[in-house]
């Protein structure tokens, strides 16, 4: 095994992370197969990199004793996965290569991670890990890896060692939320809290509700359904059952802690004892979500109501908690920590397990291991789908599914460790991600699973933002929440899942100073997740133009989609151009053949083939510029195309009997280069300039989808220009697509794979979703190996302005769009070039080798191939020049950096 690992990392080290395109130019080409692995394939930190903080977590590929753990193994329930969980590891870390200097060693452990619980001094550090199969005493050591801690490394507070954390849980019940110590203060602090009073009245009504019973939440006919579909429908019938029977229990526990009124804890006891007797293998509570919710509810009551239990009841609850907790935990070590993101665990079941575990940690011996594991994985891996920029790879539709766990686990592990997880760099940048990608009274980014469930601001987003204000001092966040409360006051009139967090942090005298976001840049890049937001007026997004460009280093993993270099345009808070289709299931035919694919997005197809699913189909954002009149972003999806290589996704296709071949929109198209320049211009114009290249001539198709509006237009034969309009009630919306050779256009309102709501999926308000047809336009070239598209969108109030092609100048196409002059090289055989200028307001953008003149003065790029913006602001020239900058994952934690 050691020899295999050594060979693997030698091969990785021989690859090249990034190639500079031409001597001294500004463009970087990433060559790695993937930037994130679905299951960890390389150690971190290694190869002498300088780590960003002085207490990195040591991470390495898991093994089953024969080979590295593969993605399919990690999610299986077969015998080998049980072997995987019985592996043991240990770690050595020292400041000398021979490990004779300052030495830090781990105990034997079941998981492939070692978060440091002490700060390292500046300098060179060396580490290695060993594994043993089933505790046989034979240890196989890895190679030695090295990294550097800089003198100026981030020195935020370090989480204390595991034994310190466990000792803090040695106290009496109630342990959850530190209630054994703060319970009296919690009671007194909320006596006059208006929200607490409303909640107590709500709890009174719970006491009058029927007791729980095992029956489906809804009945759906399964007649004639295939076995897999029938299984999913049955699961859907009980979806939400765990919360339905569990939430009243913990609400009554909270009411008791707020009032000391024993009627509430007795009501919780009635329900908890019924739930404890439910069959863990029964339809109602056998899946991970429903079982987890029941586990959490029992933990709540066992902890809060411990003094009211007799010994028989304690044993019944302990047994029921242990059965369900053990089922969750035994699938975690040597698996969960290796995953880029095991969604269900991070979203919900780790919170369920944590609450159940803390409740019994001193009564169930194995619970100390459960809590140790969760503490270590939280310390080593949080946040998972972002690093420091506050973003979330999967889009905002599924982001909110994580909010409850983010809030309560951050609070819980803060209680245990004294570390303020709300002060992590990712948390501190999170308000900006929310503000830019989901402004008040507006739709969001229209990307990722369930994006269509966000027709405007939704409750969970509002509650989460409000909760963050209790632990963050961010004036822009305070403005965001105040605006949401103004626009949607009804969201804050009842109770919700984050109430306890607000009660725990309630301060009647807290100040909420706010700042208008008009002081912020109009453009913000979230490079870790590959999102750029460009806002015309961030303070009034519901009355102005917003545009987004996506190209994710995570690829299309999890609930993310094959949407590299896709764009979304919102106007007056409504999505005009964006994703299309519907979330009917994670991997049914509509999902795998349309909704999740590049077909469903405003991006490029090559010979009608889209991007590959999986982490291998990645993109990234090399450049952005935030200007006064011009906003700019560059996305690179050159690595996104080709055959699907992910075993996880190939298995999903096998499950539904579909082959992801060219007849279904997948396969090798030969794409070598796809860089999309996107500019948002004052006056309601958006410009897209695509640089495209394949290893053979292909037909290139640029797609535009309008999920809520009708596209009207006809293809112009033998023309290098195609135009259409969008019928809407918001303003004038037109699109013009240009190239250097003839184009054809197809407009239709059909999905490549029909959308059928066979599982009776509901929206946020519980209403069954109606899957309506949507409109699509595809503009296709003749076969070409190198190609350019120039797209000019106009989205504005009033009458549209003409978009006119003028006489070409020196082989460069020349256009007039309102007050903007646009010049572009549309011949793919020549060097790419784009210039956008508005002499009246003194703004010019340039990419390429064209001469740049503004107010009679010439300017040159400092770096050949850069993107340059010149703007006269307040009588002074403001110059910005952008070159490619790789994302953090390619700098720090990436296979080709090994």
């Amino acid at each position: 095994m050691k020899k295999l690992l050594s060979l693997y990392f030698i091969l990785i080290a021989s690859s090249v992370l990034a190639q500079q395109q031409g001597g001294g130019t500004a463009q970087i080409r990433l060559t790695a197969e993937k930037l994130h692995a679905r299951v960890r394939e390389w150690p971190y930190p290694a190869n002498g990199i300088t780590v960003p903080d002085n207490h990195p977590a040591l991470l390495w590929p898991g093994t089953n004793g024969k080979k590295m753990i593969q993605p399919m193994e990690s999610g299986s329930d077969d015998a080998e996965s049980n072997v995987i969980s019985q592996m043991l590891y240990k770690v050595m870390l020292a400041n000398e290569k021979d490990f004779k200097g300052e030495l830090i060693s781990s105990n034997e452990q079941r998981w492939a991670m070692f978060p440091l619980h002490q700060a390292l001094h500046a300098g060179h550090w060396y580490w290695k890990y060993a594994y043993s199969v089933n505790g046989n005493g034979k240890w196989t050591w890895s190679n030695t890896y090295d990294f550097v801690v800089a003198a100026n490394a981030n020195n935020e507070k370090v989480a204390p060692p595991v034994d310190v954390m466990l000792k803090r849980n040695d106290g009496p019940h109630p342990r959850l939320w530190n209630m054994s110590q703060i319970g009296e203060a919690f009671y007194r602090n909320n006596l006059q809290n208006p929200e607490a009073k409303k909640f107590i009245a709500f709890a009174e009504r719970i006491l009058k509700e029927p007791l729980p019973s095992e029956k489906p939440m809804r009945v759906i006919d399964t007649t004639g359904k295939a076995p897999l579909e029938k299984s999913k429908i049955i699961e859907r019938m009980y979806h939400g059952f765990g919360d339905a029977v569990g939430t009243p229990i913990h609400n009554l526990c909270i009411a008791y802690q707020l009032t000391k009124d024993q009627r509430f804890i007795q009501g919780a006891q009635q329900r908890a004892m019924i739930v404890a007797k439910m069959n863990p293998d029964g339809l109602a509570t056998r899946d991970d979500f429903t079982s987890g919710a029941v586990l959490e509810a029992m933990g709540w009551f066992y902890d809060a109501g411990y003094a009211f239990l007799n010994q028989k009841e304690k044993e019944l609850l302990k047994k029921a908690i242990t059965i369900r907790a053990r089922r969750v935990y035994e699938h975690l070590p040597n698996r969960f920590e290796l995953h880029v993101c095991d969604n269900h665990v991070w979203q919900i079941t780790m919170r369920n397990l944590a609450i159940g575990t803390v409740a019994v940690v001193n009564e169930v011996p194995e619970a100390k291991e459960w809590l140790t594991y969760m503490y270590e994985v939280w310390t080593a891996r949080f946040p998972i789908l972002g690093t420091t920029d506050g973003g979330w790879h999967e889009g905002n539709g599924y982001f909110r599914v994580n909010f409850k766990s983010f809030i309560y686990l951050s609070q819980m592990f803060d209680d245990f460790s004294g570390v303020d997880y709300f002060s992590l760099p990712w948390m501190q940048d999170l308000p900006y991600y929310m503000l830019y990608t989901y402004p008040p009274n507006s739709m969001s980014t229209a990307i990722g699973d369930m994006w269509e469930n966000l027709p405007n601001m939704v409750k969970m987003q509002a509650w989460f933002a409000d909760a963050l204000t209790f632990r963050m001092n961010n004036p822009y966040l305070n403005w965001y929440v105040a605006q949401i409360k103004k626009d949607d006051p009804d969201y804050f009139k009842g109770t919700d899942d984050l109430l306890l967090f607000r009660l725990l942090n309630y301060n009647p005298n807290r100040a909420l100073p706010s700042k208008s976001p008009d002081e912020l840049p109009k453009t913000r890049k979230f490079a870790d997740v590959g999102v750029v937001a460009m806002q015309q007026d961030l303070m009034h997004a519901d009355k102005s133009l917003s545009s987004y460009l996506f190209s994710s280093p995570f690829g299309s993993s999890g609930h993310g989609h094959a949407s590299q270099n896709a764009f979304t345009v919102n106007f007056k808070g409504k999505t005009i151009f964006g994703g299309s289709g519907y979330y009917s299931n994670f991997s049914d035919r509509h999902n795998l053949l349309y909704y999740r694919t590049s077909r469903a997005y405003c991006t490029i197809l090559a010979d009608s083939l889209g991007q590959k699913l999986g982490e291998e189909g990645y993109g990234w954002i090399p450049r952005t510029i935030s200007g006064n009149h011009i906003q700019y972003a560059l996305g690179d999806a050159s690595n996104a195309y080709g055959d699907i290589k992910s075993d996880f996704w190939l298995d999903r296709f096998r499950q539904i009997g579909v082959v992801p071949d060219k007849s279904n929109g997948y396969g090798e198209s030969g794409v070598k280069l796809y860089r999309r320049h996107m500019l948002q211009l004052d006056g309601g114009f958006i410009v897209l300039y695509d640089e495209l290249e394949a290893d053979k001539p292909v037909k290139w198709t640029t797609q535009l989808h309008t999920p809520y509006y009708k596209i009207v237009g006809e293809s112009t034969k033998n023309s290098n220009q195609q135009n259409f309009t969008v019928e809407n009630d918001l303003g004038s919306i037109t699109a013009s697509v240009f190239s250097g050779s003839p184009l054809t256009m197809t407009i239709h309102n059909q999905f490549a794979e029909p959308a059928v709501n066979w599982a009776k999926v509901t929206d946020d308000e519980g209403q069954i979703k109606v899957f309506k047809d949507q409109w699509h336009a595809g503009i296709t070239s003749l076969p070409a190996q190198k190609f350019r598209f120039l797209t000019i969108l106009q989205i504005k109030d009033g009458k549209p302005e003409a978009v006119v092609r003028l006489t070409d100048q020196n082989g460069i196409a020349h256009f007039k769009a309102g007050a903007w002059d646009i010049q572009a090289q549309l011949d793919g055989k020549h060097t790419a070039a784009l210039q956008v200028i508005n002499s009246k307001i003194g703004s010019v953008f340039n990419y390429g080798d064209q001469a740049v003149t503004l107010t009679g003065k010439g300017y040159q790029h400092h770096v050949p191939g850069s993107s340059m913006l010149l703007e006269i602001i307040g009588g002074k020239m403001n110059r910005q020049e952008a070159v490619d900058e790789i994302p953090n994952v390619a700098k720090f934690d990436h296979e080709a950096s090994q």
Side-chain angles (χ1 to χ4, degrees):
M1 175 67 184
K2 182 176 179 179
K3 289 182 179 179
L4 289 174
L5 283 174
S6 300
L7 176 60
Y8 177 79
F9 292 118
I10 289 171
L11 291 172
I12 291 297
S14 67
S15 69
V16 180
L17 166 66
Q19 296 175 346
Q20 204 80 21
Q21 300 297 295
T25 66
Q27 184 173 332
I28 293 173
R29 173 83 164 109
L30 296 183
T31 59
E33 182 182 57
K34 67 191 79 165
L35 297 179
H36 292 272
R38 181 172 183 83
V39 175
R40 179 159 288 279
E41 297 176 9
W42 49 84
Y44 171 85
N47 203 37
I49 66 165
T50 299
V51 293
D53 56 54
N54 62 11
H55 51 283
L58 308 183
L59 308 170
W60 59 91
T63 179
N64 61 12
K66 301 175 184 177
K67 59 182 179 179
M68 289 190 300
I69 293 173
Q70 302 299 312
M72 288 300 295
E73 290 179 312
S74 65
S76 67
D77 293 320
D78 59 14
E80 188 170 28
S81 71
N82 293 326
V83 173
I84 289 171
S85 68
Q86 297 305 311
M87 297 299 300
L88 290 177
Y89 297 100
K90 59 183 178 181
V91 178
M92 294 175 64
L93 169 70
N95 64 343
E96 294 182 9
K97 196 170 184 177
D98 60 4
F99 294 91
K100 292 182 179 179
E102 186 178 343
L103 181 65
I104 300 170
S105 299
S106 75
N107 296 322
E108 295 179 6
Q109 59 185 48
R110 293 176 60 187
W111 42 86
M113 61 180 173
F114 184 58
L116 294 178
H117 295 288
Q118 65 185 78
L120 302 179
H121 60 69
H124 220 116
W125 289 86
Y126 304 87
W127 69 282
K128 59 184 178 179
Y129 67 91
Y131 68 85
S132 175
V133 180
N134 294 324
N136 63 10
K138 297 178 181 179
W139 292 92
T140 302
W141 284 95
S142 71
N143 292 333
T144 297
Y145 308 107
D146 66 315
F147 62 92
V148 174
V149 175
N152 62 347
N154 184 350
N155 61 352
E156 63 194 22
K157 188 171 182 179
V158 182
V162 168
D163 57 344
V164 174
M165 179 275 297
L166 292 174
K167 188 171 180 60
R168 290 178 178 176
N169 282 281
D170 278 347
H173 293 281
R175 301 186 191 103
L176 287 167
W177 323 119
N178 209 20
M179 279 294 177
S180 62
Q181 297 183 41
I182 70 161
E184 184 64 24
F186 176 79
Y187 164 73
R188 295 190 178 280
N189 192 44
N190 283 288
L191 282 173
Q192 303 305 318
N193 182 351
E195 188 170 30
K197 292 180 179 181
K198 285 194 296 184
F199 176 74
I200 293 165
F202 169 73
E204 290 281 2
R205 296 194 294 273
I206 295 176
L207 291 176
K208 300 175 183 178
E209 293 177 355
L211 296 176
S213 61
E214 293 184 75
K215 59 183 180 180
M217 301 291 291
R218 59 195 66 79
V219 176
I220 305 173
D221 186 10
T222 62
T223 303
K225 301 297 183 182
L228 179 61
E229 196 170 323
K230 183 175 181 179
S231 172
K232 294 295 183 182
I233 290 175
I234 292 173
E235 181 181 304
R236 179 70 191 161
M237 289 167 63
Y238 287 94
H239 182 74
F241 177 84
D243 289 324
V245 301
T247 301
I249 294 172
H250 65 68
N251 278 339
L252 289 171
C253 291
I254 296 169
Y256 169 67
Q257 291 168 333
L258 284 170
T259 63
K260 300 183 181 182
D261 186 335
Q262 294 185 12
R263 291 181 304 121
F264 293 120
I265 203 67
Q266 290 164 354
Q269 183 174 11
Q270 275 186 298
R271 288 160 173 77
M273 301 315 296
I274 294 172
V275 166
K277 296 174 183 177
M278 288 184 177
N279 182 3
D281 298 314
L283 292 175
T285 65
R286 70 183 182 184
D287 77 21
D288 53 353
F289 282 168
T290 54
S291 182
V294 167
L295 166 63
E296 178 176 332
M298 290 189 295
W300 258 101
F301 174 71
Y302 184 86
D303 187 55
Y306 189 81
F308 296 86
L309 291 169
N310 61 39
Q311 192 59 35
K312 183 178 179 181
E313 291 170 328
K314 289 176 184 177
E315 292 304 319
L316 174 62
L317 279 166
K318 276 197 300 182
K319 181 179 179 181
I321 289 171
T322 301
I323 289 171
R324 294 184 186 273
R326 189 180 288 152
R327 286 185 176 184
V328 176
Y329 178 72
E330 286 306 320
H331 288 277
L332 298 183
N334 205 30
R335 187 196 70 81
F336 173 59
E337 76 274 11
L338 302 171
H339 263 252
V340 63
C341 181
D342 186 326
N343 276 289
H344 284 195
V345 181
W346 283 106
Q347 290 165 356
I348 297 175
T349 55
M350 185 161 69
R351 183 190 75 243
N352 302 149
L353 178 61
I355 289 173
T357 296
V358 171
V360 300
V361 71
N362 292 326
E363 289 88 41
V364 176
E366 60 196 282
K368 289 188 183 296
E369 180 181 322
W370 305 342
L371 186 56
T372 296
Y373 177 81
M374 287 184 282
Y375 177 67
E376 294 288 78
V377 81
W378 183 265
T379 304
R381 292 290 316 280
F382 180 78
I384 39 148
L385 291 187
T387 51
T388 61
D389 65 6
W392 192 252
H393 145 67
E394 295 176 329
N396 290 328
Y398 247 92
F399 189 17
R400 62 214 167 102
V401 183
N402 298 270
F403 289 168
K404 185 175 179 181
S405 288
F406 284 178
I407 287 292
Y408 285 116
L409 289 178
S410 294
Q411 176 76 43
M412 175 181 286
F413 290 121
D414 184 344
D415 292 341
F416 298 164
S417 68
V419 174
D420 181 4
Y421 290 96
F422 293 95
S423 68
L424 292 178
W426 182 82
M427 279 283 202
Q428 290 296 304
D429 280 335
L430 174 57
Y432 299 103
Y433 177 76
M434 298 170 71
L435 175 60
Y436 276 88
T437 67
Y438 202 170
N441 200 28
S442 178
M443 298 189 76
S444 187
T445 53
I447 190 172
D449 278 351
M450 289 205 308
W451 68 262
E452 71 276 13
N453 276 28
L454 309 178
N456 206 292
M457 180 59 60
V458 293
K459 294 175 182 177
M460 195 61 190
Q461 179 85 4
W463 298 334
F464 181 61
D466 183 43
L468 292 177
T469 66
F470 284 77
R471 293 294 299 270
M472 291 183 178
N473 183 24
N474 186 313
Y476 300 111
L477 173 63
N478 294 339
W479 177 89
Y480 182 71
V481 172
Q483 193 64 40
I484 294 173
K485 289 184 175 181
K486 178 182 175 182
D487 295 333
D488 301 292
D490 289 345
Y491 287 0
F492 300 91
K493 290 183 178 179
T495 187
D496 61 77
D497 287 339
L498 304 184
L499 169 85
L500 173 64
F501 180 78
R502 298 193 297 273
L503 297 176
L504 288 168
N505 294 279
Y506 177 64
N507 177 2
N509 300 314
R510 73 184 183 119
L512 292 171
S514 67
K515 278 187 180 180
S516 165
D518 60 7
E519 302 176 10
L520 294 171
K522 292 183 178 180
T523 294
R524 190 171 181 115
K525 175 173 69 171
F526 302 91
D528 294 340
V529 297
V531 176
V532 180
M534 295 179 276
Q535 299 285 349
Q536 183 182 47
D537 183 353
L538 190 54
M539 189 173 178
H540 302 103
D542 59 340
K543 298 179 176 65
S544 59
L545 181 64
S546 307
S547 60
Y548 305 93
L549 181 65
F550 313 100
S551 210
S552 175
F554 285 90
S556 54
S557 63
H559 291 290
H561 288 182
S563 53
Q564 316 317 331
N565 278 8
F567 69 89
T568 291
V569 176
N570 292 350
F571 185 50
K572 297 182 180 179
K574 304 298 181 183
T575 294
I576 307 300
F577 300 101
S580 60
Y582 299 93
Y583 186 75
S584 47
N585 176 263
F586 181 75
S587 54
D588 65 2
R589 288 184 61 89
H590 178 69
N591 189 294
L592 290 181
L593 296 180
Y594 187 77
Y595 181 73
R596 182 179 298 282
T597 78
S598 307
R599 291 170 165 180
Y601 283 93
C602 299
T603 189
I604 297 289
L605 302 181
D607 277 343
S608 300
L609 304 179
Q611 299 162 7
K612 52 194 162 189
L613 299 186
E615 291 74 15
E616 296 84 359
Y618 70 90
W620 59 297
I621 302 291
R623 308 177 188 178
T624 57
I625 299 176
S626 182
N628 197 28
H629 304 291
I630 297 176
Q631 315 307 316
Y632 169 72
L634 170 63
D636 192 323
S638 303
N639 302 87
Y641 293 79
D643 291 319
I644 297 176
K645 298 181 179 180
S646 167
D647 287 337
F648 175 85
W649 288 111
L650 291 172
D651 182 61
R652 291 288 174 161
F653 281 98
R654 283 192 289 268
Q655 288 180 29
I656 63 170
V658 173
V659 178
D661 57 15
K662 292 185 177 182
S663 68
N664 286 314
Y666 294 101
E668 182 56 65
S669 57
V671 173
K672 295 170 55 180
L673 178 71
Y674 174 19
R675 283 167 71 94
R676 168 165 277 182
H677 304 259
M678 183 172 181
L679 295 90
Q680 180 173 298
L681 312 176
D682 278 5
F685 290 96
I686 290 173
V687 175
L688 299 160
Y689 180 62
D690 299 319
E691 300 180 65
L692 302 165
E693 182 179 352
D695 60 11
K696 63 182 184 297
V698 300
K699 292 182 179 180
W700 302 95
T701 300
T702 186
Q703 302 177 112
L704 297 101
H705 303 277
T706 55
Y708 302 105
Y709 302 100
K710 183 179 180 179
I711 296 176
V712 179
E714 292 185 3
S715 182
T716 304
K717 293 183 179 180
N718 300 316
S719 174
N720 296 16
Q721 173 182 350
Q722 298 292 339
N723 306 296
F724 66 79
T725 61
V726 179
E727 292 184 350
N728 70 95
D729 56 355
L730 302 172
S732 296
I733 302 174
T734 66
S736 299
V737 181
F738 304 91
S739 75
S741 58
L743 301 170
T744 58
M745 179 171 66
T746 301
I747 294 173
H748 62 94
N749 66 342
Q750 301 297 309
F751 299 118
E753 177 66 28
V756 180
N757 192 359
W758 55 270
K760 307 302 180 188
V761 176
T762 59
D763 61 20
D764 277 31
E765 301 304 317
Q767 301 299 310
I768 295 176
K769 292 163 63 173
V770 178
F771 291 178
K772 300 178 181 179
D773 292 337
Q774 298 171 341
W775 285 88
H776 324 275
I779 297 89
T780 303
S781 74
L782 298 173
Q785 187 168 354
K786 295 182 178 181
F787 197 75
R788 310 272 189 271
F789 278 118
L790 176 72
T791 303
I792 301 176
L793 306 177
Q794 184 174 184
I795 307 102
K796 59 185 297 182
D797 283 317
K799 294 182 179 180
E801 298 184 72
V803 177
V804 181
R805 183 165 186 169
L806 306 176
T807 304
D808 290 2
Q809 300 177 357
N810 300 320
I812 302 292
H814 189 193
F815 307 88
K816 187 76 172 178
W820 296 94
D821 286 303
I822 301 169
Q823 299 180 48
Q825 176 55 262
L826 296 181
D827 188 340
K829 297 177 183 178
H830 295 283
T831 303
L834 175 67
Q835 187 173 111
V836 180
I837 186 168
N838 188 324
S839 299
K840 293 181 180 179
I841 58 177
S843 291
V844 61
F845 167 86
N846 192 72
Y847 168 72
D849 55 7
Q850 297 182 86
V852 181
T853 303
L854 188 62
T855 63
K857 183 179 178 181
Y859 295 87
Q860 292 187 349
H861 290 243
H862 291 152
V863 181
S866 68
S867 301
M868 182 173 67
L869 176 63
L870 305 174
E871 291 187 307
I872 299 174
I873 303 174
K876 297 181 178 180
M877 177 62 69
N878 182 51
R879 175 180 181 140
Q880 299 183 68
E881 193 166 343
V883 298
D884 286 6
E885 181 182 4
I886 62 175
N888 281 337
V889 65
K891 299 175 185 176
F892 301 123
D893 183 14
H894 173 261
E895 61 175 340
S897 69
Q898 308 307 320

